[in-house]
Amino acid sequence: MTLAVFDTAAIKKTATSQLVLDTVRDALIAHAEGHTSVPPPLHLDFPETDGDCHVKAGWITGATDFTVKIATGFYRNPALGLPTNHGLVCVVSAHTGQVRALLDDRGLLTAWRTAAAGALITHAMARPDAVILAVFGTGEQARLQATWLAELRPVSTVLVHGRNPHRAAALCDDLISRGLPARPASAQQAAAADMVITTTPATVPVLDAAQVREGAHVTGIGTDMPHKNELPPALFHRAELIATDDHAQCLDHGDFGHAVRAGATARDGDIAAGLLLGTPVDRPDTAITVADLTGVGALDAALASAVLDQLLH
Amino acid sequence: MTLAVFDTAAIKKTATSQLVLDTVRDALIAHAEGHTSVPPPLHLDFPETDGDCHVKAGWITGATDFTVKIATGFYRNPALGLPTNHGLVCVVSAHTGQVRALLDDRGLLTAWRTAAAGALITHAMARPDAVILAVFGTGEQARLQATWLAELRPVSTVLVHGRNPHRAAALCDDLISRGLPARPASAQQAAAADMVITTTPATVPVLDAAQVREGAHVTGIGTDMPHKNELPPALFHRAELIATDDHAQCLDHGDFGHAVRAGATARDGDIAAGLLLGTPVDRPDTAITVADLTGVGALDAALASAVLDQLLH
């Protein structure tokens, strides 16, 4: 039997944002309820070429399939005319161990599940009347977070803050072409939005906690390694509700962990993000809420399996 | 660009046993000299279907490619008419992180590198005049170890010991058809051969150390998990030279570790098997020598890369 391989064109043609959002919602809830199996990831470093490889596996307990995801980041690739990130997902039967298919997705599904998780949690935690969104960062995640949040709730304006003004302007043009009013903003303006999503690889916080307004919600999705840090400890200190997608992981290498180690918040003062998706948040209008998302391997499994079912349909 | 996928038929047509033996020899030496990168493997268990998945990565430092290998074992598969083991190897550029190809090898390369390592080490450590080989076990590894050792040195007779007499007889017929004289043997007869290779999933030792003759060499390749054990601690106690393919790994889950924990041998009394391949062993004629091989991920990388180069040639 020949191994089935599907490329990004096939995946994009098959999977709708609705499928992604629904699948990620269910997977986040399953993870919050402890119905997932996510072993510690495997890492390889290539210091001489400034590259790394991460392998993550995940399973929603009882699901038909599990996945093994290989993701590489080689940071000198752009100079060679190659994309920095590469990757594929191997979908394996949890009943027989037979490989069902390979999704040669070049990191697309990871980008989608990250964007879906950010949009879902931001929508669940923000005030119902919040309409102004700010994104920090100007890459694919900034675009996806904005467009998918706009599928979940009305967004009146997107404020885009990036270090590179040309890229910020380009993202605004892109969002406008998708029907989303957008304009470049300073860090101070962006920090004062109703809803803030940070999507950067920053190693020092990108916003000033004092500039975040009462009643605002902030979601950080860029911090996925111990040396990265987007959200300042002082923001967690001000927050009345803190959600994490994976408590242990966020303590280990998320913004939440930086805040806990700085003594800015109590170690147990958080709630699993997935639980908020099942139960609407009861939040005072003036509360600041924060979500720290570090990425959960079980989401890869759920999404790859759902996409493959569509592809084979 | 479409992902290149090669199946077992293509791999078998391309790779010669000479290519495998040469590649594994070089990789064992590189590993012994510390020129490899092998992160801790990733595991997933599926207790309800009696299955597991192991993901191993490896890199020969400075080599063009690294590999990520996915291997599953689902132990109820035979009842479903499916093979127990499944797997594939992903070959990735260590310069750019781009996936070069997938070898849909169903575990073939793992079997080959295991057999090559066993044959190479047995040949390096056995007395030059040793000609009688015994294998414990009747599976694919028993066959490969015998036939590949016979490519490295004259083998006059293969004694086959297996719990199932029909399978032992079948393996003898197979070896005879390949020009290797072979006959079934009791455990006692097999333990008394010049060279002994154990290839079983045993959880209690398969031979009696007292029955191993002076001057004999024994290689264990079946013990790859803590609960397995093929070679008795008393054998390590009698041995004058002990080789391991990976010291830490053999201590953790090899027969060597059982012997050290039983107090039968000193913790530092071993030598890296790879070093023996560069330097012939100076062994007294009456010495007993033992090799414990647990499998090294860097060998997968070297072999997959060499096979892929042949496939793309």
Side-chain angles (χ1 to χ4, degrees), chain A residues 72 77 86 96-99 102, chain B residues 72 77 86 96-99 102:
Chain A
T72 60
N77 276 1
H86 197 17
T96 67
Q98 311 294 296
V99 177
L102 284 163
Chain B
T72 60
N77 276 0
H86 197 17
T96 67
Q98 310 294 296
V99 178
L102 284 162

Side-chain angles (χ1 to χ4, degrees), chain A residues 1 5 37 39 42-44 46 49 53 55 57 59 66 72 74 77 83 86 94-99 102 104 106, chain B residues 1 3 5 37 39 42-44 46 49 53 55 57 59 66 72 74 77 82-83 86 94-99 102 106:
Chain A
M1 199 177 67
V5 179
S37 180
L42 184 159
H43 300 266
L44 263 177
F46 303 91
T49 43
C53 175
V55 183
W59 184 45
F66 67 96
T72 60
F74 279 67
N77 276 1
H86 197 17
H95 297 314
T96 67
Q98 311 294 296
V99 177
L102 284 163
D104 181 21
R106 317 268 158 151
Chain B
M1 199 176 70
L3 191 65
V5 179
S37 179
L42 183 160
H43 301 266
L44 263 178
F46 303 90
T49 44
C53 175
V55 182
W59 185 45
F66 67 95
T72 60
F74 277 68
N77 276 0
L82 291 170
H86 197 17
H95 297 312
T96 67
Q98 310 294 296
V99 178
L102 284 162
R106 318 267 158 151

Side-chain angles (χ1 to χ4, degrees), chain A:
Chain A
M1 199 177 67
T2 309
L3 190 64
V5 179
F6 297 98
D7 64 9
T8 49
I11 294 167
K12 281 180 180 167
K13 207 161 69 181
T14 303
T16 61
S17 56
Q18 195 58 51
L19 174 80
V20 179
L21 288 164
D22 288 347
T23 304
V24 169
R25 178 188 289 111
D26 290 348
L28 278 168
I29 294 172
H31 188 65
E33 291 176 344
H35 300 147
T36 56
S37 180
V38 185
L42 184 159
H43 300 266
L44 263 177
D45 283 311
F46 303 91
E48 283 173 27
T49 43
D50 197 13
D52 55 46
C53 175
H54 299 255
V55 183
K56 291 182 179 173
W59 184 45
I60 306 279
T61 315
T64 315
D65 306 320
F66 67 96
T67 58
V68 178
K69 182 175 82 170
I70 302 172
T72 60
F74 279 67
Y75 302 96
R76 294 179 201 166
N77 276 1
L80 307 170
L82 291 169
T84 300
N85 296 109
H86 197 17
L88 55 80
V89 182
C90 189
V91 184
V92 189
S93 163
H95 297 314
T96 67
Q98 311 294 296
V99 177
R100 285 188 67 203
L102 284 163
L103 303 180
D104 181 21
D105 75 321
R106 317 268 158 151
L108 180 66
L109 294 179
T110 303
W112 281 358
R113 63 97 163 136
T114 303
L120 287 162
I121 298 301
T122 301
H123 177 52
M125 294 181 78
R127 279 200 332 267
D129 60 348
V131 289
I132 299 178
L133 168 70
V135 291
F136 283 75
T138 57
E140 181 185 25
Q141 272 303 313
R143 178 176 62 77
L144 281 172
Q145 296 280 347
T147 51
W148 287 12
L149 182 62
E151 291 201 20
L152 296 171
R153 63 154 65 206
V155 173
S156 66
T157 309
V158 182
L159 304 175
V160 175
H161 178 70
R163 285 179 304 179
N164 180 327
H166 299 293
R167 295 194 59 181
L171 175 56
C172 288
D173 289 347
D174 186 335
L175 293 173
I176 290 164
S177 76
R178 294 164 194 271
L180 264 177
R183 64 168 189 270
S186 67
Q188 184 168 355
Q189 289 166 334
D194 293 339
M195 303 176 280
V196 177
I197 304 181
T198 61
T199 69
T200 76
T203 53
V204 294
V206 295
L207 56 80
D208 180 345
Q211 293 168 351
V212 174
R213 293 205 305 200
E214 289 190 347
H217 170 77
V218 181
T219 295
I221 63 138
T223 302
D224 58 359
M225 293 170 79
H227 71 279
K228 293 187 184 173
N229 186 198
E230 289 191 288
L231 304 181
L235 178 65
F236 288 86
H237 186 67
R238 288 188 69 195
E240 290 186 35
L241 182 67
I242 297 169
T244 57
D245 57 355
D246 185 289
H247 186 64
Q249 206 168 270
C250 289
L251 267 178
D252 184 66
H253 57 257
D255 287 323
F256 180 60
H258 286 290
V260 169
R261 286 188 294 280
T265 185
R267 198 181 166 107
D268 294 323
D270 72 317
I271 182 168
L275 297 181
L276 299 176
L277 300 174
T279 316
V281 182
D282 189 12
R283 53 144 38 236
D285 271 356
T286 58
I288 288 178
T289 56
V290 176
D292 181 20
L293 307 182
T294 48
V296 172
L299 269 56
D300 298 318
L303 183 55
S305 184
V307 167
L308 181 60
D309 284 344
Q310 287 291 312
L311 285 162
L312 299 176
H313 198 60

Side-chain angles (χ1 to χ4, degrees), chain B residues 206-287:
Chain B
V206 295
L207 56 80
D208 180 345
Q211 293 168 351
V212 175
R213 293 205 305 199
E214 289 190 346
H217 170 77
V218 181
T219 295
I221 62 138
T223 302
D224 58 359
M225 292 169 78
H227 71 278
K228 293 187 184 173
N229 186 199
E230 290 190 287
L231 304 181
L235 179 65
F236 288 86
H237 185 68
R238 287 188 68 196
E240 291 185 34
L241 182 66
I242 298 170
T244 57
D245 57 355
D246 184 288
H247 187 64
Q249 206 168 267
C250 289
L251 268 178
D252 184 66
H253 56 256
D255 287 323
F256 180 61
H258 286 289
V260 169
R261 285 188 294 278
T265 186
R267 196 181 168 109
D268 294 323
D270 73 315
I271 182 168
L275 297 181
L276 301 175
L277 299 175
T279 316
V281 182
D282 188 16
R283 50 143 42 235
D285 272 358
T286 57

Side-chain angles (χ1 to χ4, degrees), chain B residues 156-221:
Chain B
S156 67
T157 309
V158 182
L159 303 175
V160 175
H161 178 71
R163 284 180 306 179
N164 181 327
H166 300 292
R167 295 195 60 180
L171 176 56
C172 290
D173 290 345
D174 186 336
L175 293 173
I176 289 163
S177 77
R178 293 165 195 269
L180 263 177
R183 63 169 191 271
S186 67
Q188 184 167 355
Q189 289 166 335
D194 293 338
M195 301 175 281
V196 178
I197 304 180
T198 60
T199 69
T200 75
T203 53
V204 294
V206 295
L207 56 80
D208 180 345
Q211 293 168 351
V212 175
R213 293 205 305 199
E214 289 190 346
H217 170 77
V218 181
T219 295
I221 62 138

